[in-house]
Amino acid sequence: MNLRTEVRPVGMAMDGRLVVSAAGGEVITFDTMDGRKVCERRRQAEQALFPAHQDGVAYLGGRTLAALRIGDGKELWPHRLDPGTGKTLWRRGGGNGPMRTQGAGVWIVDTNELSPQFSGLELESGRLRMKYGAGEGNRWGIAVGGNRVFVHDSHSLTALPVF
């Protein structure tokens, strides 16, 4: 993986691991003690991702939504279908926008829509629990704090409850 690109790579460190997302969308996890590669996901996205993390799990957007155990790279959300009903839990892709964890959820921005959609997924299963249409504009963001998720577009700010 060439980290010398026009777009700076994005990284996060936790639990003795460094997770790096390069400009081409590759995601590689390294051991911080010896530098060895723990796992690699090629073609996760079309560009560098902004992953979220909590309790030893990294959450990735991009072409698919993924929850990976940081210690060994094992995928914790292997399916996108509800085994009981067969219904789709989330659409293909999770956007390349930022992700945040708050409460028992991971909050994502789906930038594949004309207007971004904000979704709240259960940390444990990836099951969709909340979806919010952000409104208008091409500027959007997401922040968490005080047991709330804050989403904004070019015109408004909304505080959503967490689960």
Side-chain angles (χ1 to χ4, degrees), residues 113-130:
E113 301 286 334
L114 293 176
S115 291
Q117 299 289 312
F118 295 87
S119 299
L121 308 174
E122 289 180 354
L123 287 173
E124 293 293 319
S125 68
R127 184 173 73 90
L128 180 65
R129 288 282 305 269
M130 178 184 285

Side-chain angles (χ1 to χ4, degrees), residues 1-2 13 20 22 95 99 108 111 131 134 138 163:
M1 173 170 72
N2 179 6
V20 177
M99 302 176 78
I108 65 167
T111 58
K131 191 156 195 132
N138 58 3
F163 46 86

Side-chain angles (χ1 to χ4, degrees), residues 66-144:
L68 306 175
R69 190 168 50 210
I70 197 77
D72 59 10
K74 180 180 187 232
E75 189 168 4
L76 302 177
W77 295 348
H79 305 290
R80 283 183 254 136
L81 300 177
D82 183 319
T85 65
K87 290 184 179 180
T88 300
L89 297 177
W90 61 81
R91 287 184 301 109
R92 178 169 171 76
N96 290 318
M99 302 176 78
R100 302 288 186 266
T101 57
Q102 179 75 327
V106 59
W107 304 87
I108 65 167
V109 179
D110 182 354
T111 58
N112 297 326
E113 301 286 334
L114 293 176
S115 291
Q117 299 289 312
F118 295 87
S119 299
L121 308 174
E122 289 180 354
L123 287 173
E124 293 293 319
S125 68
R127 184 173 73 90
L128 180 65
R129 288 282 305 269
M130 178 184 285
K131 191 156 195 132
Y132 174 75
E136 302 178 13
N138 58 3
R139 292 185 168 193
W140 47 266
I142 185 169
V144 296

